[in-house]
Amino acid sequence: MEWLNQNAAANSTIVVAGPMFAAEMVENHQRNLTMIYRDDFAWGKAADPDYYLAISRYDYFQAFPHCPTVHAVQRQDTPLTIIKRCRQP
């Protein structure tokens, strides 16, 4: 989320596949980011979000395979969280 606060354009839409409370705790509210929990996202009906923020559990990394990974938080070469950019500027 910190990477998104610094790099995402204001008013970006982010689908969060992980604990929403964790993303909301560090969200920069001045950027006016719209966060949607993955279970509330209209899969196959809504347009792709600007970004997809996912934890490594439950194969959440597999969603949005056409979107490139732009950032990853890793420890000992193991990804813990990834961010994919789905809409290009």
Side-chain angles (χ1 to χ4, degrees), residues 6-80:
Q6 295 174 3
N7 295 283
N11 303 312
S12 291
T13 300
I14 302 159
V15 171
V16 178
M20 277 294 282
F21 72 90
E24 291 169 341
M25 283 178 24
V26 295
E27 174 189 4
N28 181 346
H29 294 283
Q30 294 176 343
R31 311 267 311 167
N32 198 33
L33 302 175
T34 300
M35 294 193 298
I36 304 167
Y37 184 57
R38 70 175 303 279
D39 290 348
D40 297 329
F41 184 68
W43 296 93
K45 297 177 185 172
D48 282 352
D50 296 303
Y51 293 93
Y52 177 63
L53 171 66
I55 61 172
S56 58
R57 297 187 75 178
Y58 314 116
D59 292 329
Y60 286 165
F61 283 8
Q62 303 302 320
F64 300 104
H66 58 285
C67 302
T69 299
V70 293
H71 183 72
V73 175
Q74 299 184 57
R75 296 295 179 265
Q76 298 179 345
D77 297 323
T78 301
L80 304 174

